[in-house]
mmCIF file with all atom_site columns, all heavy atoms in Angstrom:
data_model
loop_
_atom_site.group_PDB
_atom_site.id
_atom_site.type_symbol
_atom_site.label_atom_id
_atom_site.label_alt_id
_atom_site.label_comp_id
_atom_site.label_asym_id
_atom_site.label_entity_id
_atom_site.label_seq_id
_atom_site.pdbx_PDB_ins_code
_atom_site.Cartn_x
_atom_site.Cartn_y
_atom_site.Cartn_z
_atom_site.occupancy
_atom_site.B_iso_or_equiv
_atom_site.pdbx_formal_charge
_atom_site.auth_seq_id
_atom_site.auth_comp_id
_atom_site.auth_asym_id
_atom_site.auth_atom_id
_atom_site.pdbx_PDB_model_num
ATOM 1   N N   . PRO A 1 271 ? 10.754 30.744 -3.707 1.00 0.00 ? 271 PRO A N   1
ATOM 2   C CA  . PRO A 1 271 ? 9.793  29.626 -3.765 1.00 0.00 ? 271 PRO A CA  1
ATOM 3   C C   . PRO A 1 271 ? 10.493 28.263 -3.661 1.00 0.00 ? 271 PRO A C   1
ATOM 4   O O   . PRO A 1 271 ? 9.957  27.334 -3.059 1.00 0.00 ? 271 PRO A O   1
ATOM 5   C CB  . PRO A 1 271 ? 9.135  29.790 -5.136 1.00 0.00 ? 271 PRO A CB  1
ATOM 6   C CG  . PRO A 1 271 ? 9.393  31.181 -5.548 1.00 0.00 ? 271 PRO A CG  1
ATOM 7   C CD  . PRO A 1 271 ? 10.654 31.615 -4.899 1.00 0.00 ? 271 PRO A CD  1
ATOM 8   N N   . ALA A 1 272 ? 11.703 28.178 -4.243 1.00 0.00 ? 272 ALA A N   1
ATOM 9   C CA  . ALA A 1 272 ? 12.443 26.903 -4.186 1.00 0.00 ? 272 ALA A CA  1
ATOM 10  C C   . ALA A 1 272 ? 12.838 26.577 -2.748 1.00 0.00 ? 272 ALA A C   1
ATOM 11  O O   . ALA A 1 272 ? 12.670 25.438 -2.284 1.00 0.00 ? 272 ALA A O   1
ATOM 12  C CB  . ALA A 1 272 ? 13.681 26.982 -5.075 1.00 0.00 ? 272 ALA A CB  1
ATOM 13  N N   . MET A 1 273 ? 13.343 27.589 -2.032 1.00 0.00 ? 273 MET A N   1
ATOM 14  C CA  . MET A 1 273 ? 13.748 27.365 -0.629 1.00 0.00 ? 273 MET A CA  1
ATOM 15  C C   . MET A 1 273 ? 12.544 26.984 0.224  1.00 0.00 ? 273 MET A C   1
ATOM 16  O O   . MET A 1 273 ? 12.590 26.040 1.014  1.00 0.00 ? 273 MET A O   1
ATOM 17  C CB  . MET A 1 273 ? 14.380 28.646 -0.056 1.00 0.00 ? 273 MET A CB  1
ATOM 18  C CG  . MET A 1 273 ? 15.752 28.952 -0.586 1.00 0.00 ? 273 MET A CG  1
ATOM 19  S SD  . MET A 1 273 ? 16.209 30.691 -0.334 1.00 0.00 ? 273 MET A SD  1
ATOM 20  C CE  . MET A 1 273 ? 16.522 30.730 1.405  1.00 0.00 ? 273 MET A CE  1
ATOM 21  N N   . MET A 1 274 ? 11.444 27.738 0.030  1.00 0.00 ? 274 MET A N   1
ATOM 22  C CA  . MET A 1 274 ? 10.233 27.469 0.836  1.00 0.00 ? 274 MET A CA  1
ATOM 23  C C   . MET A 1 274 ? 9.658  26.089 0.518  1.00 0.00 ? 274 MET A C   1
ATOM 24  O O   . MET A 1 274 ? 9.297  25.331 1.419  1.00 0.00 ? 274 MET A O   1
ATOM 25  C CB  . MET A 1 274 ? 9.168  28.529 0.562  1.00 0.00 ? 274 MET A CB  1
ATOM 26  C CG  . MET A 1 274 ? 9.473  29.870 1.147  1.00 0.00 ? 274 MET A CG  1
ATOM 27  S SD  . MET A 1 274 ? 8.179  31.021 0.639  1.00 0.00 ? 274 MET A SD  1
ATOM 28  C CE  . MET A 1 274 ? 8.599  32.437 1.610  1.00 0.00 ? 274 MET A CE  1
ATOM 29  N N   . GLY A 1 275 ? 9.585  25.778 -0.767 1.00 0.00 ? 275 GLY A N   1
ATOM 30  C CA  . GLY A 1 275 ? 9.038  24.482 -1.187 1.00 0.00 ? 275 GLY A CA  1
ATOM 31  C C   . GLY A 1 275 ? 9.853  23.331 -0.632 1.00 0.00 ? 275 GLY A C   1
ATOM 32  O O   . GLY A 1 275 ? 9.311  22.360 -0.092 1.00 0.00 ? 275 GLY A O   1
ATOM 33  N N   . MET A 1 276 ? 11.178 23.466 -0.733 1.00 0.00 ? 276 MET A N   1
ATOM 34  C CA  . MET A 1 276 ? 12.047 22.381 -0.270 1.00 0.00 ? 276 MET A CA  1
ATOM 35  C C   . MET A 1 276 ? 11.968 22.216 1.245  1.00 0.00 ? 276 MET A C   1
ATOM 36  O O   . MET A 1 276 ? 11.874 21.090 1.759  1.00 0.00 ? 276 MET A O   1
ATOM 37  C CB  . MET A 1 276 ? 13.489 22.680 -0.713 1.00 0.00 ? 276 MET A CB  1
ATOM 38  C CG  . MET A 1 276 ? 14.478 21.573 -0.456 1.00 0.00 ? 276 MET A CG  1
ATOM 39  S SD  . MET A 1 276 ? 14.122 20.042 -1.346 1.00 0.00 ? 276 MET A SD  1
ATOM 40  C CE  . MET A 1 276 ? 14.667 20.469 -2.993 1.00 0.00 ? 276 MET A CE  1
ATOM 41  N N   . MET A 1 277 ? 11.966 23.340 1.966  1.00 0.00 ? 277 MET A N   1
ATOM 42  C CA  . MET A 1 277 ? 11.931 23.240 3.433  1.00 0.00 ? 277 MET A CA  1
ATOM 43  C C   . MET A 1 277 ? 10.615 22.651 3.920  1.00 0.00 ? 277 MET A C   1
ATOM 44  O O   . MET A 1 277 ? 10.593 21.805 4.804  1.00 0.00 ? 277 MET A O   1
ATOM 45  C CB  . MET A 1 277 ? 12.182 24.612 4.056  1.00 0.00 ? 277 MET A CB  1
ATOM 46  C CG  . MET A 1 277 ? 13.632 25.024 3.908  1.00 0.00 ? 277 MET A CG  1
ATOM 47  S SD  . MET A 1 277 ? 13.946 26.666 4.485  1.00 0.00 ? 277 MET A SD  1
ATOM 48  C CE  . MET A 1 277 ? 13.980 26.390 6.228  1.00 0.00 ? 277 MET A CE  1
ATOM 49  N N   . LEU A 1 278 ? 9.516  23.107 3.304  1.00 0.00 ? 278 LEU A N   1
ATOM 50  C CA  . LEU A 1 278 ? 8.209  22.583 3.670  1.00 0.00 ? 278 LEU A CA  1
ATOM 51  C C   . LEU A 1 278 ? 8.102  21.099 3.279  1.00 0.00 ? 278 LEU A C   1
ATOM 52  O O   . LEU A 1 278 ? 7.608  20.276 4.051  1.00 0.00 ? 278 LEU A O   1
ATOM 53  C CB  . LEU A 1 278 ? 7.122  23.402 2.950  1.00 0.00 ? 278 LEU A CB  1
ATOM 54  C CG  . LEU A 1 278 ? 5.792  23.533 3.641  1.00 0.00 ? 278 LEU A CG  1
ATOM 55  C CD1 . LEU A 1 278 ? 5.932  24.249 4.974  1.00 0.00 ? 278 LEU A CD1 1
ATOM 56  C CD2 . LEU A 1 278 ? 4.796  24.286 2.758  1.00 0.00 ? 278 LEU A CD2 1
ATOM 57  N N   . GLY A 1 279 ? 8.600  20.784 2.086  1.00 0.00 ? 279 GLY A N   1
ATOM 58  C CA  . GLY A 1 279 ? 8.555  19.405 1.590  1.00 0.00 ? 279 GLY A CA  1
ATOM 59  C C   . GLY A 1 279 ? 9.338  18.448 2.472  1.00 0.00 ? 279 GLY A C   1
ATOM 60  O O   . GLY A 1 279 ? 8.864  17.359 2.794  1.00 0.00 ? 279 GLY A O   1
ATOM 61  N N   . THR A 1 280 ? 10.526 18.875 2.904  1.00 0.00 ? 280 THR A N   1
ATOM 62  C CA  . THR A 1 280 ? 11.334 17.980 3.739  1.00 0.00 ? 280 THR A CA  1
ATOM 63  C C   . THR A 1 280 ? 10.680 17.779 5.103  1.00 0.00 ? 280 THR A C   1
ATOM 64  O O   . THR A 1 280 ? 10.730 16.685 5.663  1.00 0.00 ? 280 THR A O   1
ATOM 65  C CB  . THR A 1 280 ? 12.775 18.512 3.917  1.00 0.00 ? 280 THR A CB  1
ATOM 66  O OG1 . THR A 1 280 ? 12.715 19.888 4.269  1.00 0.00 ? 280 THR A OG1 1
ATOM 67  C CG2 . THR A 1 280 ? 13.603 18.372 2.667  1.00 0.00 ? 280 THR A CG2 1
ATOM 68  N N   . ARG A 1 281 ? 10.041 18.850 5.619  1.00 0.00 ? 281 ARG A N   1
ATOM 69  C CA  . ARG A 1 281 ? 9.351  18.700 6.915  1.00 0.00 ? 281 ARG A CA  1
ATOM 70  C C   . ARG A 1 281 ? 8.173  17.734 6.802  1.00 0.00 ? 281 ARG A C   1
ATOM 71  O O   . ARG A 1 281 ? 7.976  16.882 7.659  1.00 0.00 ? 281 ARG A O   1
ATOM 72  C CB  . ARG A 1 281 ? 8.869  20.054 7.429  1.00 0.00 ? 281 ARG A CB  1
ATOM 73  C CG  . ARG A 1 281 ? 10.011 20.844 7.988  1.00 0.00 ? 281 ARG A CG  1
ATOM 74  C CD  . ARG A 1 281 ? 9.583  22.151 8.566  1.00 0.00 ? 281 ARG A CD  1
ATOM 75  N NE  . ARG A 1 281 ? 10.771 22.942 8.872  1.00 0.00 ? 281 ARG A NE  1
ATOM 76  C CZ  . ARG A 1 281 ? 10.778 24.037 9.594  1.00 0.00 ? 281 ARG A CZ  1
ATOM 77  N NH1 . ARG A 1 281 ? 9.666  24.494 10.085 1.00 0.00 ? 281 ARG A NH1 1
ATOM 78  N NH2 . ARG A 1 281 ? 11.883 24.690 9.832  1.00 0.00 ? 281 ARG A NH2 1
ATOM 79  N N   . VAL A 1 282 ? 7.397  17.892 5.730  1.00 0.00 ? 282 VAL A N   1
ATOM 80  C CA  . VAL A 1 282 ? 6.260  16.984 5.512  1.00 0.00 ? 282 VAL A CA  1
ATOM 81  C C   . VAL A 1 282 ? 6.800  15.579 5.241  1.00 0.00 ? 282 VAL A C   1
ATOM 82  O O   . VAL A 1 282 ? 6.268  14.589 5.754  1.00 0.00 ? 282 VAL A O   1
ATOM 83  C CB  . VAL A 1 282 ? 5.389  17.479 4.327  1.00 0.00 ? 282 VAL A CB  1
ATOM 84  C CG1 . VAL A 1 282 ? 4.326  16.451 3.955  1.00 0.00 ? 282 VAL A CG1 1
ATOM 85  C CG2 . VAL A 1 282 ? 4.721  18.800 4.687  1.00 0.00 ? 282 VAL A CG2 1
ATOM 86  N N   . GLY A 1 283 ? 7.881  15.512 4.457  1.00 0.00 ? 283 GLY A N   1
ATOM 87  C CA  . GLY A 1 283 ? 8.474  14.221 4.101  1.00 0.00 ? 283 GLY A CA  1
ATOM 88  C C   . GLY A 1 283 ? 8.881  13.429 5.320  1.00 0.00 ? 283 GLY A C   1
ATOM 89  O O   . GLY A 1 283 ? 8.647  12.223 5.409  1.00 0.00 ? 283 GLY A O   1
ATOM 90  N N   . VAL A 1 284 ? 9.471  14.105 6.291  1.00 0.00 ? 284 VAL A N   1
ATOM 91  C CA  . VAL A 1 284 ? 9.902  13.425 7.518  1.00 0.00 ? 284 VAL A CA  1
ATOM 92  C C   . VAL A 1 284 ? 8.705  12.811 8.230  1.00 0.00 ? 284 VAL A C   1
ATOM 93  O O   . VAL A 1 284 ? 8.746  11.681 8.699  1.00 0.00 ? 284 VAL A O   1
ATOM 94  C CB  . VAL A 1 284 ? 10.637 14.421 8.456  1.00 0.00 ? 284 VAL A CB  1
ATOM 95  C CG1 . VAL A 1 284 ? 10.849 13.817 9.829  1.00 0.00 ? 284 VAL A CG1 1
ATOM 96  C CG2 . VAL A 1 284 ? 11.960 14.825 7.855  1.00 0.00 ? 284 VAL A CG2 1
ATOM 97  N N   . LYS A 1 285 ? 7.593  13.569 8.283  1.00 0.00 ? 285 LYS A N   1
ATOM 98  C CA  . LYS A 1 285 ? 6.412  13.091 9.011  1.00 0.00 ? 285 LYS A CA  1
ATOM 99  C C   . LYS A 1 285 ? 5.671  11.992 8.242  1.00 0.00 ? 285 LYS A C   1
ATOM 100 O O   . LYS A 1 285 ? 5.288  10.973 8.793  1.00 0.00 ? 285 LYS A O   1
ATOM 101 C CB  . LYS A 1 285 ? 5.460  14.258 9.285  1.00 0.00 ? 285 LYS A CB  1
ATOM 102 C CG  . LYS A 1 285 ? 5.981  15.152 10.377 1.00 0.00 ? 285 LYS A CG  1
ATOM 103 C CD  . LYS A 1 285 ? 5.028  16.281 10.671 1.00 0.00 ? 285 LYS A CD  1
ATOM 104 C CE  . LYS A 1 285 ? 5.646  17.205 11.731 1.00 0.00 ? 285 LYS A CE  1
ATOM 105 N NZ  . LYS A 1 285 ? 4.960  18.461 11.852 1.00 0.00 ? 285 LYS A NZ  1
ATOM 106 N N   . VAL A 1 286 ? 5.486  12.222 6.947  1.00 0.00 ? 286 VAL A N   1
ATOM 107 C CA  . VAL A 1 286 ? 4.655  11.307 6.157  1.00 0.00 ? 286 VAL A CA  1
ATOM 108 C C   . VAL A 1 286 ? 5.385  9.987  5.858  1.00 0.00 ? 286 VAL A C   1
ATOM 109 O O   . VAL A 1 286 ? 4.813  8.912  5.928  1.00 0.00 ? 286 VAL A O   1
ATOM 110 C CB  . VAL A 1 286 ? 4.239  11.984 4.826  1.00 0.00 ? 286 VAL A CB  1
ATOM 111 C CG1 . VAL A 1 286 ? 3.500  11.011 3.920  1.00 0.00 ? 286 VAL A CG1 1
ATOM 112 C CG2 . VAL A 1 286 ? 3.353  13.189 5.120  1.00 0.00 ? 286 VAL A CG2 1
ATOM 113 N N   . LEU A 1 287 ? 6.647  10.095 5.549  1.00 0.00 ? 287 LEU A N   1
ATOM 114 C CA  . LEU A 1 287 ? 7.343  8.912  5.036  1.00 0.00 ? 287 LEU A CA  1
ATOM 115 C C   . LEU A 1 287 ? 8.377  8.328  5.996  1.00 0.00 ? 287 LEU A C   1
ATOM 116 O O   . LEU A 1 287 ? 9.233  7.559  5.607  1.00 0.00 ? 287 LEU A O   1
ATOM 117 C CB  . LEU A 1 287 ? 8.019  9.265  3.708  1.00 0.00 ? 287 LEU A CB  1
ATOM 118 C CG  . LEU A 1 287 ? 7.066  9.760  2.622  1.00 0.00 ? 287 LEU A CG  1
ATOM 119 C CD1 . LEU A 1 287 ? 7.833  10.366 1.474  1.00 0.00 ? 287 LEU A CD1 1
ATOM 120 C CD2 . LEU A 1 287 ? 6.181  8.650  2.118  1.00 0.00 ? 287 LEU A CD2 1
ATOM 121 N N   . GLU A 1 288 ? 8.260  8.722  7.265  1.00 0.00 ? 288 GLU A N   1
ATOM 122 C CA  . GLU A 1 288 ? 9.253  8.320  8.256  1.00 0.00 ? 288 GLU A CA  1
ATOM 123 C C   . GLU A 1 288 ? 9.447  6.800  8.315  1.00 0.00 ? 288 GLU A C   1
ATOM 124 O O   . GLU A 1 288 ? 10.562 6.317  8.422  1.00 0.00 ? 288 GLU A O   1
ATOM 125 C CB  . GLU A 1 288 ? 8.810  8.837  9.624  1.00 0.00 ? 288 GLU A CB  1
ATOM 126 C CG  . GLU A 1 288 ? 9.958  9.065  10.575 1.00 0.00 ? 288 GLU A CG  1
ATOM 127 C CD  . GLU A 1 288 ? 9.480  9.802  11.813 1.00 0.00 ? 288 GLU A CD  1
ATOM 128 O OE1 . GLU A 1 288 ? 8.278  9.715  12.131 1.00 0.00 ? 288 GLU A OE1 1
ATOM 129 O OE2 . GLU A 1 288 ? 10.313 10.453 12.454 1.00 0.00 ? 288 GLU A OE2 1
ATOM 130 N N   . LYS A 1 289 ? 8.326  6.070  8.208  1.00 0.00 ? 289 LYS A N   1
ATOM 131 C CA  . LYS A 1 289 ? 8.425  4.625  8.402  1.00 0.00 ? 289 LYS A CA  1
ATOM 132 C C   . LYS A 1 289 ? 8.394  3.850  7.097  1.00 0.00 ? 289 LYS A C   1
ATOM 133 O O   . LYS A 1 289 ? 8.240  2.638  7.084  1.00 0.00 ? 289 LYS A O   1
ATOM 134 C CB  . LYS A 1 289 ? 7.288  4.160  9.323  1.00 0.00 ? 289 LYS A CB  1
ATOM 135 C CG  . LYS A 1 289 ? 7.511  4.627  10.758 1.00 0.00 ? 289 LYS A CG  1
ATOM 136 C CD  . LYS A 1 289 ? 6.272  4.408  11.591 1.00 0.00 ? 289 LYS A CD  1
ATOM 137 C CE  . LYS A 1 289 ? 6.457  5.056  12.958 1.00 0.00 ? 289 LYS A CE  1
ATOM 138 N NZ  . LYS A 1 289 ? 5.222  5.107  13.718 1.00 0.00 ? 289 LYS A NZ  1
ATOM 139 N N   . THR A 1 290 ? 8.524  4.571  5.999  1.00 0.00 ? 290 THR A N   1
ATOM 140 C CA  . THR A 1 290 ? 8.448  3.881  4.717  1.00 0.00 ? 290 THR A CA  1
ATOM 141 C C   . THR A 1 290 ? 9.830  3.400  4.292  1.00 0.00 ? 290 THR A C   1
ATOM 142 O O   . THR A 1 290 ? 10.818 4.098  4.499  1.00 0.00 ? 290 THR A O   1
ATOM 143 C CB  . THR A 1 290 ? 7.919  4.855  3.641  1.00 0.00 ? 290 THR A CB  1
ATOM 144 O OG1 . THR A 1 290 ? 6.745  5.450  4.154  1.00 0.00 ? 290 THR A OG1 1
ATOM 145 C CG2 . THR A 1 290 ? 7.618  4.136  2.354  1.00 0.00 ? 290 THR A CG2 1
ATOM 146 N N   . SER A 1 291 ? 9.873  2.205  3.692  1.00 0.00 ? 291 SER A N   1
ATOM 147 C CA  . SER A 1 291 ? 11.145 1.701  3.187  1.00 0.00 ? 291 SER A CA  1
ATOM 148 C C   . SER A 1 291 ? 11.593 2.578  2.021  1.00 0.00 ? 291 SER A C   1
ATOM 149 O O   . SER A 1 291 ? 10.855 2.796  1.062  1.00 0.00 ? 291 SER A O   1
ATOM 150 C CB  . SER A 1 291 ? 10.964 0.258  2.715  1.00 0.00 ? 291 SER A CB  1
ATOM 151 O OG  . SER A 1 291 ? 12.069 -0.101 1.948  1.00 0.00 ? 291 SER A OG  1
ATOM 152 N N   . PRO A 1 292 ? 12.797 3.107  2.099  1.00 0.00 ? 292 PRO A N   1
ATOM 153 C CA  . PRO A 1 292 ? 13.218 4.076  1.089  1.00 0.00 ? 292 PRO A CA  1
ATOM 154 C C   . PRO A 1 292 ? 13.782 3.446  -0.180 1.00 0.00 ? 292 PRO A C   1
ATOM 155 O O   . PRO A 1 292 ? 14.103 4.157  -1.120 1.00 0.00 ? 292 PRO A O   1
ATOM 156 C CB  . PRO A 1 292 ? 14.326 4.827  1.818  1.00 0.00 ? 292 PRO A CB  1
ATOM 157 C CG  . PRO A 1 292 ? 14.910 3.836  2.758  1.00 0.00 ? 292 PRO A CG  1
ATOM 158 C CD  . PRO A 1 292 ? 13.817 2.893  3.123  1.00 0.00 ? 292 PRO A CD  1
ATOM 159 N N   . VAL A 1 293 ? 13.887 2.121  -0.242 1.00 0.00 ? 293 VAL A N   1
ATOM 160 C CA  . VAL A 1 293 ? 14.620 1.482  -1.345 1.00 0.00 ? 293 VAL A CA  1
ATOM 161 C C   . VAL A 1 293 ? 14.015 1.808  -2.709 1.00 0.00 ? 293 VAL A C   1
ATOM 162 O O   . VAL A 1 293 ? 14.715 2.245  -3.624 1.00 0.00 ? 293 VAL A O   1
ATOM 163 C CB  . VAL A 1 293 ? 14.684 -0.058 -1.127 1.00 0.00 ? 293 VAL A CB  1
ATOM 164 C CG1 . VAL A 1 293 ? 15.383 -0.727 -2.302 1.00 0.00 ? 293 VAL A CG1 1
ATOM 165 C CG2 . VAL A 1 293 ? 15.416 -0.359 0.171  1.00 0.00 ? 293 VAL A CG2 1
#
Side-chain angles (χ1 to χ4, degrees):
Chain A
M273 287 161 74
M274 288 176 172
M276 187 63 76
M277 287 175 78
L278 210 62
T280 48
R281 284 183 190 192
V282 172
V284 169
K285 286 181 183 167
V286 174
L287 301 167
E288 207 170 24
K289 289 169 188 169
T290 310
S291 166
V293 177

